[in-house]
Amino acid sequence: MDVGFLNAAILLIIGISTWIIARIFYVIHRSRKPLYNKPPGPLSTLIVLGSGGHTAEMINLLDVMQMDRFKPRYYIAAATDNMSLQKARVLEDSLMDKAQVELGGTSQFMQIYRSREVGQSYVTSVGTTLVALTHALWLMIKIRPQVILCNGPGTCIPLCVIAFFFKVFGIRWSSIFYVESIARVRRLSLSGLLLYKLRMVDQLFVQWPQLKSKYPRANYVGRLM
């Protein structure tokens, strides 16, 4: 192999790696600052729902938000979770009845494959994880949200990871807001801990002062639900 070509390839790899690392640090630094100098128009928003109490808490949160500032809205739940999307549809119907927001094509409901089902072996979960990541990538390319709102379901992880690297590569800047469940008093959930440690969220909100003391970069906002 030509030595000159090898040296050029090494320099190219070093250059690309340096650029990626620099971009990661820039995104982490920029994420904690306001994205807009003045109030923007409506923001396309991806809302991640989850089984158990995650969806109930998210619906309660959305119920007190100024929903006209977040549209169109894309609700996403796991492919095996039908109840969450039904609850989201009920919320959207109530907004229409109250005439709080202009609807008409402002909300869509989607499903995403799980990386791993409860009780699934770790061996077979490798394949399902790759499928889930591919599906999440396709959804993120399709939706290209400006805001991602999540509160704990594992389905948010691949979406948030992809959104983070979209920012790194300059494809799309999606602000990620994570609201930890009120049930989490002493430690973050696994999803929250991963996003906190990897610094992938723009803002992480907790509802108990103990969590703020343990995770200083989190924002304590009191009880939201």
Side-chain angles (χ1 to χ4, degrees), residues 74-160:
Y74 302 90
Y75 295 90
I76 287 188
T80 54
D81 179 11
N82 294 315
M83 289 298 297
S84 293
L85 292 183
Q86 289 181 15
K87 293 177 181 178
R89 288 188 175 94
V90 171
L91 172 66
E92 288 293 328
D93 290 342
S94 69
L95 292 175
M96 185 183 300
D97 293 338
K98 295 176 184 178
Q100 291 182 350
V101 293
E102 295 179 8
L103 293 177
T106 62
S107 61
Q108 295 186 39
F109 307 90
M110 303 175 174
Q111 291 182 306
I112 185 173
Y113 293 115
R114 288 182 184 269
S115 298
R116 182 174 179 268
E117 295 291 347
V118 176
Q120 182 181 352
S121 70
Y122 289 103
V123 175
T124 59
S125 66
V126 174
T128 55
T129 298
L130 291 175
V131 172
L133 284 172
T134 303
H135 190 209
L137 176 60
W138 178 80
L139 287 172
M140 287 296 295
I141 293 173
K142 179 181 179 181
I143 299 172
R144 295 170 62 85
Q146 294 169 277
V147 173
I148 297 177
L149 186 61
C150 49
N151 69 339
T155 47
C156 75
I157 295 298
L159 295 166
C160 290

Side-chain angles (χ1 to χ4, degrees), residues 5-39:
F5 175 80
L6 182 60
N7 290 337
I10 292 174
L11 288 174
L12 179 61
I13 293 172
I14 293 174
I16 293 175
S17 300
T18 302
W19 179 83
I20 292 175
I21 292 172
R23 282 289 301 178
I24 289 174
F25 279 105
Y26 168 76
V27 169
I28 291 173
H29 173 73
R30 183 70 181 84
S31 291
R32 295 189 62 82
K33 296 183 178 180
L35 190 58
Y36 303 99
N37 294 323
K38 58 181 181 180

Side-chain angles (χ1 to χ4, degrees), residues 185-213:
V185 179
R186 299 186 181 278
R187 60 176 59 91
L188 295 175
S189 62
L190 179 58
S191 298
L193 185 63
L194 285 172
L195 295 175
Y196 178 87
K197 291 294 187 181
L198 295 174
R199 296 175 179 262
M200 288 188 172
V201 291
D202 292 72
Q203 299 289 337
L204 188 147
F205 301 99
V206 296
Q207 303 184 59
W208 295 96
Q210 299 95 310
L211 287 177
K212 171 63 178 177
S213 299

Side-chain angles (χ1 to χ4, degrees), residues 19-20 22-24 26-27 144-145 161-174:
W19 179 83
I20 292 175
R23 282 289 301 178
I24 289 174
Y26 168 76
V27 169
R144 295 170 62 85
V161 170
I162 291 169
F164 179 81
F165 281 101
F166 273 13
K167 290 192 278 192
V168 169
F169 291 104
I171 298 173
R172 178 66 160 177
W173 193 284
S174 299

